[in-house]
């Protein structure tokens, strides 16, 4: 699968939107990624994640970890292809933790995967968490790296799609200045805000 074919899969499931969006951070953006819309189709999830798994197979891991919730399905599907365990970290009072009795062997080679890498922050926290539990993270994977490849984790990294998505402070957003109505994707109604959010 080429990057364009993968992009088409995301567009077909409305998982990659182009327009003018208000992100949950309050920043504005010209593109919006919602991996849950492709992952809701198990066959598509399997297809995408096996492609990602093959890019990381050479690292020889025995466990795949991901931060909940977004990464859970990706870890599970990648682990299925590699024939290894999948586990997830989750936030407890703000701190990324490994719960539910999950454990790693001392020095166990691990992958950390995500649906989307934005700044790399949650990936970094997950790496820390796995290493505190005794594992050795040897690589990172994501369906989409929306940092344009800028999120440097100091480890081998694979992504199916690398995009440079620009975020704007609302006061400086060129799309607002052009009078394009802003949309809050994934909101309860899924409807346009109808509010141009000028200024
Ligand atoms: Zn805007």
């Amino acid at each position: 699968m080429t990057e364009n074919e993968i992009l088409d899969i995301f567009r077909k499931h409305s998982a990659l939107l182009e327009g003018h969006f208000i992100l949950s951070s309050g920043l504005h953006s010209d593109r919006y990624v919602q991996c849950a819309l492709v992952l809701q189709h198990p066959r598509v999830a399997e297809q995408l994640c096996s492609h990602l798994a093959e890019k990381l197979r050479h690292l020889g891991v025995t466990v795949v970890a991901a931060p909940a919730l977004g990464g859970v399905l990706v870890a599970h599907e990648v682990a299925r292809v590699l024939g290894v365990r999948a586990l997830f970290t989750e936030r407890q009072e703000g701190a990324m933790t490994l719960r539910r009795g999950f454990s790693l062997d001392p020095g166990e080679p691990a992958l950390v995967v995500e649906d989307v890498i934005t700044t790399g922050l949650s990936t970094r926290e997950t790496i820390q968490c796995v290493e505190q539990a005794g594992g050795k993270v040897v690589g990172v994977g994501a369906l989409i790296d929306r940092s344009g490849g800028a999120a440097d984790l100091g480890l081998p990294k694979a992504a199916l799609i690398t995009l440079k998505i620009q975020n704007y402070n609302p006061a400086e957003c060129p799309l607002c200045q052009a009078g394009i109505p802003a949309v809050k994707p994934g909101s309860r109604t899924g409807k346009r805000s109808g509010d141009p959010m000028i200024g």
Side-chain angles (χ1 to χ4, degrees):
M1 265 193 298
T2 66
E3 192 162 312
N4 273 336
E5 287 169 331
I6 295 166
L7 277 170
D8 283 344
I9 292 174
F10 273 79
R11 289 202 181 98
K12 187 177 131 195
H13 294 97
S14 304
L16 176 64
L17 302 177
E18 281 145 1
H20 182 193
F21 304 101
I22 306 167
L23 307 178
S24 53
S25 60
L27 296 175
H28 290 198
S29 183
D30 63 351
R31 274 175 293 177
Y32 181 77
V33 176
Q34 180 49 272
C35 284
L37 293 178
V38 284
L39 297 173
Q40 72 178 317
H41 303 287
R43 293 284 179 227
V44 180
E46 180 183 33
Q47 186 188 15
L48 293 173
C49 294
S50 64
H51 200 58
L52 181 62
E54 293 309 335
K55 289 176 181 277
L56 295 160
R57 184 185 287 280
H58 65 282
L59 295 170
V61 302
T62 52
V63 61
V64 182
L69 274 166
V72 174
L73 290 175
V74 177
H76 203 264
E77 289 296 329
V78 168
R80 188 207 303 271
V81 174
L82 299 179
V84 302
R85 308 194 316 286
L87 45 84
F88 57 87
T89 63
E90 54 201 305
R91 286 193 191 280
Q92 193 172 26
E93 285 155 22
M96 201 66 96
T97 52
L98 202 57
R99 301 174 63 196
R100 303 171 194 271
F102 285 142
S103 65
L104 292 100
D105 292 332
E108 184 171 8
L111 272 181
V112 168
V113 298
E114 292 251 28
D115 52 351
V116 183
I117 291 179
T118 304
T119 61
L121 179 65
S122 60
T123 316
R124 218 168 273 126
E125 290 174 306
T126 306
I127 292 169
Q128 254 173 20
C129 195
V130 166
E131 300 211 321
Q132 274 163 11
K136 172 86 186 113
V137 179
V138 295
V140 169
L143 297 182
I144 295 190
D145 177 357
R146 54 161 294 175
S147 77
D152 182 14
L153 299 149
L155 289 166
K157 183 170 71 171
L160 295 187
I161 305 174
T162 300
L163 296 172
K164 177 72 197 146
I165 300 185
Q166 207 69 49
N167 294 334
Y168 304 104
N169 195 307
E172 293 154 8
C173 175
L175 301 161
C176 284
Q177 283 160 19
I180 299 165
V183 176
K184 236 182 200 164
S187 63
R188 197 181 182 92
T189 60
K191 283 184 188 158
R192 281 167 182 273
S193 69
D195 177 357
M197 298 283 291
I198 290 169

